[in-house]
Amino acid sequence: MADEPARPPVILLPGAFGQELIYWNAWQYFLERDGFHVYLASFPRFTFHDLPVSAKHLQTKVDEVCAVEGVDKVALISHSMGGLIGRWYLNFLDGAPHTSHLCCLGTPHHGTWTAATAPILTGTRQLLPGSNFLTELNDPARNHGGVPILNLWSKWDGIVIPSESALLEMPGVENRVMPFAGHWGLLVSRKAYLAVRDAIDPTRKGHVSAPA
């Protein structure tokens, strides 16, 4: 129908070790099958670089996609550290007016003690619970510009330790637990995919629109 709302283009944000060859293969295939235009973000040093710097790379990517697609907003789907980059973009780089939704899978919003295994890397130091980066990101005064956030997490994550660090208790955030899904298993979870697809697709029931 001519008046059917358009699906937003999607940018996929990887976590640690992320690159464009294999990380999002399944999600890219299914999203394109379901009618989305899909783009892949990549970040310096396999996402282990300074996360605010990576957020600036995301800002550039969003601007490029909006120009190519002729739209004002994109949907961001992120895994692990990618969710922190997406949130920093919304909060500190004026990303909200250009974002319809942010979906986070297994994101260590309050840090993870797994990061202590590689303290030499800037990105992992920023993931340590109580880091300056996380304190600033989780400031209660920040509300991500009102962008709806779907946050999927698992009690069986195995990388986000403790697993409850993946919860994000803020206005505008919907937390959903994914049963029996490990950290990387979220990337191949049908339940996770369907939850995200339905959240970002304005033609489907359960969609929540971002502020105009």
Side-chain angles (χ1 to χ4, degrees), residues 32-182:
E32 290 176 346
R33 182 201 64 180
D34 287 337
F36 293 91
H37 292 177
V38 181
Y39 297 83
L40 302 175
S42 59
F43 303 115
R45 300 179 186 173
F46 298 97
T47 318
F48 287 116
H49 193 47
D50 181 69
L51 297 181
V53 171
S54 292
K56 291 181 180 179
H57 284 260
L58 174 59
Q59 182 182 41
T60 299
K61 186 70 174 182
V62 171
D63 291 346
E64 290 174 354
V65 172
C66 285
V68 168
E69 294 280 344
V71 299
D72 296 323
K73 295 184 178 184
V74 302
L76 303 177
I77 301 175
S78 60
H79 180 248
S80 196
M81 296 166 75
L84 302 177
I85 294 169
R87 289 180 58 206
W88 192 273
Y89 167 66
L90 296 182
N91 279 338
F92 299 102
L93 297 176
D94 196 31
H98 308 293
T99 307
S100 63
H101 286 78
L102 171 63
C103 299
C104 300
L105 289 75
T107 294
H109 297 291
H110 301 284
T112 173
W113 290 112
T114 306
T117 61
I120 193 173
L121 301 170
T122 302
T124 51
R125 289 199 302 272
Q126 291 168 334
L127 290 185
L128 288 170
S131 71
N132 291 336
F133 169 81
L134 290 173
T135 299
E136 192 170 1
L137 182 63
N138 291 321
D139 183 344
R142 302 284 178 178
N143 69 349
H144 307 100
V147 172
I149 297 177
L150 175 63
N151 185 53
L152 306 184
W153 70 288
S154 173
K155 297 177 182 178
W156 299 269
D157 187 287
I159 298 296
V160 180
I161 300 173
S163 60
E164 290 76 12
S165 285
L167 281 166
L168 184 60
E169 301 289 354
M170 285 187 169
V173 178
E174 179 186 357
N175 289 289
R176 291 194 205 175
V177 62
M178 293 289 105
F180 307 110

